[in-house]
């Protein structure tokens, strides 16, 4: 298949994913269960895509794990996004420097 064929297939798929819910669900969803389920889908998908990248983003999975632990701790302390991101970066940097210093 040529590049144009692949591009057309991707465009049709993307269009159908966005168009079908608009045409099939004309009435508002009243079920509390389904609405809450749909509200958590983006968070679950983002977590599933992000978690493996956290552990493999650095040369050392231990540094990635240290950043993850710091992020979870700061998030539970209700710190802002910039604070959490900065804390993760500092933790990964220090862990990487410690591993170089130790050998």
């Amino acid at each position: 298949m040529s590049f144009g064929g692949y591009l057309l297939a991707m465009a049709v798929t993307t269009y159908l994913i966005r168009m079908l819910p608009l045409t099939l669900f004309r009435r508002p969803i009243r079920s509390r269960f389904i609405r809450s389920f749909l509200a958590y889908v983006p968070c679950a998908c983002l977590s599933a895509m992000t978690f493996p990248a956290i552990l493999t983003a650095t040369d050392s999975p231990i540094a990635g794990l240290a950043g993850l632990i710091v992020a979870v701790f700061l998030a539970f302390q209700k710190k802002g996004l910039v604070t959490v991101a900065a804390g993760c970066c500092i933790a990964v940097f220090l862990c990487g420097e410690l591993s170089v210093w130790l050998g």
Side-chain angles (χ1 to χ4, degrees), residues 3-4 8 10-11 13 15 19 30 34 38-39 57 69 81 83 92 94:
F3 175 75
L8 181 64
M10 287 174 32
T13 304
Y15 179 74
M19 187 255 326
R30 291 203 169 94
I34 293 176
L38 291 174
I69 291 169
L81 181 61
T83 306
V92 169
L94 290 176

Side-chain angles (χ1 to χ4, degrees), residues 21-103:
L22 290 174
T23 58
L24 294 179
F25 301 110
R26 295 191 183 264
R27 293 179 288 136
I29 299 172
R30 291 203 169 94
S31 170
R32 253 176 73 184
F33 175 76
I34 293 176
R35 284 194 350 217
S36 66
F37 174 78
L38 291 174
Y40 286 111
V41 167
C43 297
C45 291
L46 182 62
S47 300
M49 291 185 303
T50 305
F51 184 74
I54 291 171
L55 298 178
T56 59
T58 62
D59 291 335
S60 169
I62 295 172
L65 185 63
L68 176 66
I69 291 169
V70 168
V72 169
F73 175 75
L74 290 174
F76 275 118
Q77 298 298 316
K78 300 196 185 294
K79 301 297 180 186
L81 181 61
V82 174
T83 306
V84 173
C88 292
C89 291
I90 292 168
V92 169
F93 175 75
L94 290 176
C95 195
E97 289 297 313
L98 184 64
S99 69
V100 168
W101 185 68
L102 291 177

